[in-house]
């Protein structure tokens, strides 16, 4: 986009003339080239990621089956049956047990290094420790990811999401060797970094800084 500036004057003239059809800002092209209106892309990949994460959490809770496995009782919101949460002393985030997360593919450094279960570096991205963890990550994903997908397309954002999530898993395996790790935080920080870099690079074209 370089030093091209949005032609907001033309946009204002369009609105003042009484037109009600939706319009999009036009970027001034180099001299000699015609003006081309670029429409924003539709967002579908980020909603798919959200649905996959939610479905994986539901499956994880179904496999966890707290009332059946908890000998001492104390499952939270018991009327949910097998989908009720572990006692808060075991999981304050309202979610499954650590054993269930490991069964579903949570990241544990020992299993990756000694048991050669490298697939956990990928599967842990789609798991979450509880409802609180899931809500925070999915809200962040919608606010950050949807904007980026509309601007840069689903291929770039999808690749960035997966690479950043994989990189976050590697860092967790290196620095959290005595803990299990789940969640899409690494992927989210990758998207956040992309958004910040885009803002810095294209700062001059924003009228409302």
């Amino acid at each position: 986009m370089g030093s091209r500036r949005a032609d907001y004057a033309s946009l204002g003239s369009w609105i003042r003339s009484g037109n009600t059809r939706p319009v999009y800002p036009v970027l001034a092209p180099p001299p000699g080239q015609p003006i081309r209106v670029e429409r924003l892309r539709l967002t579908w990949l980020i909603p798919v990621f959200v649905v996959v994460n939610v479905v994986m959490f539901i499956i994880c809770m179904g496999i966890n089956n707290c009332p059946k496995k908890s000998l001492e009782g104390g499952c939270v919101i018991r009327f949910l049956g097998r989908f009720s949460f572990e006692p808060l002393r075991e999981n304050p985030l309202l979610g499954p047990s650590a054993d269930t997360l490991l069964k579903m593919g949570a990241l544990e450094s020992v299993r990756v290094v000694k048991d050669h279960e490298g697939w956990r570096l990928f599967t842990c991205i789609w798991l979450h420790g509880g409802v609180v963890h899931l809500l925070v990550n999915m809200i962040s994903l919608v606010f950050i990811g949807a904007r980026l997908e509309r601007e840069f397309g689903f291929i770039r954002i999808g690749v960035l999401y997966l690479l950043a999530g994989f990189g976050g898993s590697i860092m967790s395996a290196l620095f959290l060797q005595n803990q299990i790790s789940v969640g899409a935080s690494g992927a989210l920080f990758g998207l956040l970094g992309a958004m910040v870099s885009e803002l810095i690079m294209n700062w001059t074209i924003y009228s409302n800084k």
Side-chain angles (χ1 to χ4, degrees), residues 143-165:
F143 275 95
I144 299 173
R147 173 186 180 275
L148 291 174
E149 185 181 350
R150 283 195 300 269
E151 188 164 352
F152 298 106
F154 70 93
I155 295 179
R156 293 178 180 177
I157 297 307
V159 172
L160 175 61
Y161 184 90
L162 296 177
L163 288 179

Side-chain angles (χ1 to χ4, degrees), residues 37 48 72 171 188:
V37 177
V48 168
E72 300 178 359
M171 297 300 289
L188 287 173

Side-chain angles (χ1 to χ4, degrees), residues 91-161:
N91 189 343
L93 298 178
L94 299 177
S97 65
D99 290 337
T100 300
L101 289 173
L102 284 172
K103 183 186 298 184
M104 292 293 294
L107 176 63
E108 189 177 34
S109 180
V110 175
R111 293 174 183 258
V112 173
V113 176
K114 294 185 177 181
D115 299 335
H116 307 289
E117 298 179 357
W119 48 269
R120 292 181 180 272
L121 295 169
F122 177 78
T123 56
C124 69
I125 302 173
W126 310 99
L127 301 175
H128 287 81
V131 173
V132 177
H133 189 198
L134 179 67
L135 284 177
V136 171
N137 275 359
M138 293 305 99
I139 292 175
S140 302
L141 178 58
V142 169
F143 275 95
I144 299 173
R147 173 186 180 275
L148 291 174
E149 185 181 350
R150 283 195 300 269
E151 188 164 352
F152 298 106
F154 70 93
I155 295 179
R156 293 178 180 177
I157 297 307
V159 172
L160 175 61
Y161 184 90

